[in-house]
Amino acid sequence: ALFAAADANQLQTADQVATQATRMLADPKAHPAVTQFFSEWLGVDEIANSPKDPTVYATYTPQVRDAMQAETVAFADWVIWQSDAKLSTLLTAPVSFVNQTLAPLYGLTGITGDAMQKVALDPTQRAGIVTEAALMTVLGKADRSSPVLRGKFVREKFLCQTVAPPPQNIVITPPPVMPGVSTREMFTMHSTVEPCKSCHTLMDPIGFGFENYDGIGQWRTTDQGQTVDASGPLTGSDVDGTFNGAVDLSHKLAESSDVRDCVATEWFRYAMGRGEAAGDTCALTSLKQSFAGTQADIGKLLVAVTQTDTFRYRLAVTP
């Protein structure tokens, strides 16, 4: 149908392109392409490369790992195609999808079968895609959680901020797990010494907000016998302030225009298959404005991408 429209010169105007984009998004074949964005954006397609220490996480089996990845795909699919497609729903909905293999990780009972089933989660413990097990697993170490990875993730993937890599002459050796010493206590040293301090003050305080989740995303209230402190400050955004836990943080992110603009940018990158360049400034500005005007409706954002000059035109190539 798209080739036929092109042959009939019916892809000449923005409206004609929008009609075709809307038609294609209504096709079930659009679902895998859209959910693949979430897998790549969040990095959960790398979960197979996130091994865990079986002596620490004995319940983490290949079957659990695969169910975690299926959960993220099912949740994203539900948000976009069955719910309201809003960014706020993606970031705050206390629901998810589990099967009998994954249900115990969330403390759920009565779930049978291998099919992913929609379930309600405790809204004081879970909020949208950010607190799902797959993401916490990818952003965790083999034997513990990782405030650094989790804080860096929020900075880069939700705020589109770049965190500088460590100096080349620094040998990074995480301290060993010590009984009676929480992960937060071990990593607090980053905020007190240079050259670590300057970058880790951007990441660690955010990452500490996820300390209620262990290295495979299980909820916990203690770590090494110490009560979990998941409070922290969010800085460098339009919703700066203190938060207490990842649920609180997720709700702050859902209210952020910086996050909304970053998500629009991420979709632009995905659609174009490249990072943005100087010549894309006007297209990105219009895309962000369009996304804001729809109360951050991701479904409408996908059509809006096709309305940008970057999508509709290409630079002339000089022979």
Side-chain angles (χ1 to χ4, degrees), residues 167-198:
Q168 292 184 351
N169 62 336
I170 296 295
V171 178
I172 302 175
T173 304
V177 175
M178 294 181 287
V181 181
S182 70
T183 302
R184 180 167 187 146
E185 289 174 318
M186 283 195 297
F187 282 88
T188 296
M189 66 177 184
H190 283 146
S191 62
T192 60
V193 298
E194 291 292 4
C196 306
K197 181 178 178 180
S198 56

